[in-house]
Amino acid sequence: MSKSKVGKTVESLGDYLREQRVSAQLSLRQLAEQTGVSNPYLSQIERGLRRPSAEVLQQLAKALRISAEQLYVQAGIVSPDASTARSVELAILGDPELDERHKQSLLDVYQAFRSASAAPTVPVLEDPPAAVVTTDQGHQPTEGEAHG
């Protein structure tokens, strides 16, 4: 993902979170208290300066009473299409045994494989026919003669 697209995603996420917070009639300080995330960090997320982890997004979703999945889509962590892909991504994000770095690595690998499989494939050619070996007399040797 290009830097400008990442920046734009984070910015739009911040705008989205701000809208949700205002709709929920919560101050930034109240949201910080409910999520256990610091007030300055939340402010940076809303201003598009920081990209929150999946765990922080989950805490925000719970406090704002909105879908964590929708926040993942807004943050660019989960694809907005392909329900199978989304369920795999959500399973990775929801695994309590994985830390944030491992989750991001798995998502990157998964998305790379999906992109590669979506690319046009080159047809695989059949093996060419085996060469026929002939002798001076023009007869075809038996298998023993050809390998012997």
Side-chain angles (χ1 to χ4, degrees):
M1 197 180 275
S2 69
K3 272 199 179 252
S4 62
K5 189 171 181 185
V6 169
K8 192 68 174 168
T9 301
V10 171
E11 217 172 272
S12 64
L13 171 66
D15 293 339
Y16 179 78
L17 284 170
R18 185 180 303 108
E19 288 171 13
Q20 296 301 314
R21 179 178 57 77
V22 170
S23 292
Q25 299 179 342
L26 291 172
S27 70
L28 203 55
R29 188 173 312 255
Q30 290 169 320
L31 184 58
E33 288 172 6
Q34 288 184 16
T35 59
V37 177
S38 76
N39 193 26
Y41 185 64
L42 284 178
S43 175
Q44 291 173 344
I45 293 169
E46 281 192 1
R47 291 181 288 142
L49 301 175
R50 298 281 183 165
R51 183 176 180 174
S53 68
E55 282 83 9
V56 169
L57 289 173
Q58 210 165 21
Q59 293 166 316
L60 289 168
K62 186 176 178 182
L64 294 169
R65 295 189 176 106
I66 57 176
S67 160
E69 182 179 349
Q70 182 59 36
L71 282 182
Y72 296 151
V73 170
Q74 286 288 328
I77 296 173
V78 173
S79 321
D81 56 352
S83 62
T84 303
R86 188 179 299 162
S87 64
V88 170
E89 292 165 334
L90 291 173
I92 291 169
L93 291 168
D95 190 330
E97 299 294 316
L98 299 173
D99 65 25
E100 189 61 31
R101 186 175 60 86
H102 291 131
K103 288 177 184 181
Q104 191 57 56
S105 295
L106 282 170
L107 288 172
D108 290 345
V109 169
Y110 180 68
Q111 289 166 352
F113 276 120
R114 285 189 49 82
S115 295
S117 68
T121 58
V122 177
V124 176
L125 300 176
E126 296 287 324
D127 287 337
V132 176
V133 179
T134 59
T135 63
D136 290 349
Q137 289 81 19
H139 82 284
Q140 293 183 355
T142 63
E143 191 169 317
E145 290 175 328
H147 298 292

